[in-house]
Amino acid sequence: MTPRIRTALLSTALLSTGLLGTLSAQAQVSIFTIPALPPRSAAPAPTTPAPVTPTRPALNPALATPHSANLSGPGSLRGGQDTTWTFNLTNLGETVIDLQHGACDVRFEVLNAAGQVVRANPTNTVCTMQLVMTNVAPGETMDVQNVRWNGRSSDGKALPAGEYTIRAYFNGAGVSILAEDYPVTLEN
């Protein structure tokens, strides 16, 4: 159906219901009915952006089975070099932890020494529809997933050398698991 035919059918339907007259009367605008703009004022003073505070999306309920989670990997990295840490889950309970989760259920963010997020948790990552099975028997530790950081900020800029903290969490399979914060030194 062409746009012209669609418009004609819509107009006919509106005419038959009496709505076209009401709509067209309300839709008439002239130069006299447009509200005036407020008078110009001085330019607003420049503001400095507020620091980004650590935020996480809404998390699932915490895993009920007694457990601990941490990152393992190097304590330092060189700027621009991809470095990998592993999210580990240790089962401290007496029943198996059985997680069937997606490939992007472990997320992380990086904070500077002042506690500001300098590398936010990406929200536009492309994840495969891969199902990952993680089964952790009582007393056992298993790798859940890896995270990777290259010493750059969220916008891809090189960060200055210094002390940073990686904060990682698992949020999938109907549960959330927070890892211990992991301190790293960025070297340039």
Side-chain angles (χ1 to χ4, degrees):
M1 180 181 307
T2 67
R4 183 174 279 166
I5 293 173
R6 219 175 316 171
T7 303
L9 288 174
L10 180 61
S11 297
T12 304
L14 290 174
L15 275 174
S16 67
T17 61
L19 290 176
L20 185 61
T22 305
L23 289 175
S24 63
Q26 292 175 351
Q28 292 179 358
V29 177
S30 74
I31 193 166
F32 301 107
T33 60
I34 298 174
L37 294 174
R40 283 193 173 190
S41 62
T47 59
T48 54
V52 177
T53 55
T55 58
R56 292 188 179 121
L59 296 179
N60 291 318
L63 177 64
T65 305
H67 66 279
S68 69
N70 64 0
L71 292 174
S72 62
S76 64
L77 72 146
R78 292 218 174 271
Q81 182 179 5
D82 279 342
T83 305
T84 303
W85 292 268
T86 303
F87 188 99
N88 301 305
L89 176 61
T90 301
N91 186 342
L92 303 174
E94 296 184 15
T95 60
V96 173
I97 297 173
D98 182 24
L99 302 174
Q100 296 179 13
H101 57 94
C104 287
D105 287 341
V106 173
R107 299 298 192 147
F108 76 102
E109 58 193 7
V110 179
L111 291 76
N112 64 14
Q116 298 168 320
V117 175
V118 293
R119 191 271 187 196
N121 197 7
T123 56
N124 59 349
T125 56
V126 176
C127 296
T128 63
M129 295 300 289
Q130 178 182 6
L131 181 64
V132 179
M133 309 290 277
T134 303
N135 298 305
V136 188
E140 203 172 70
T141 298
M142 295 289 293
D143 300 349
V144 177
Q145 218 163 303
N146 291 332
V147 298
R148 187 175 308 160
W149 182 48
N150 59 7
R152 296 188 177 276
S153 65
S154 295
D155 57 4
K157 295 179 182 171
L159 291 168
E163 301 301 316
Y164 293 86
T165 301
I166 300 174
R167 182 174 289 164
Y169 63 94
F170 171 90
N171 192 39
V175 298
S176 65
I177 303 167
L178 305 178
E180 298 172 14
D181 288 355
Y182 192 84
V184 294
T185 302
L186 176 59
E187 303 167 351
N188 288 334

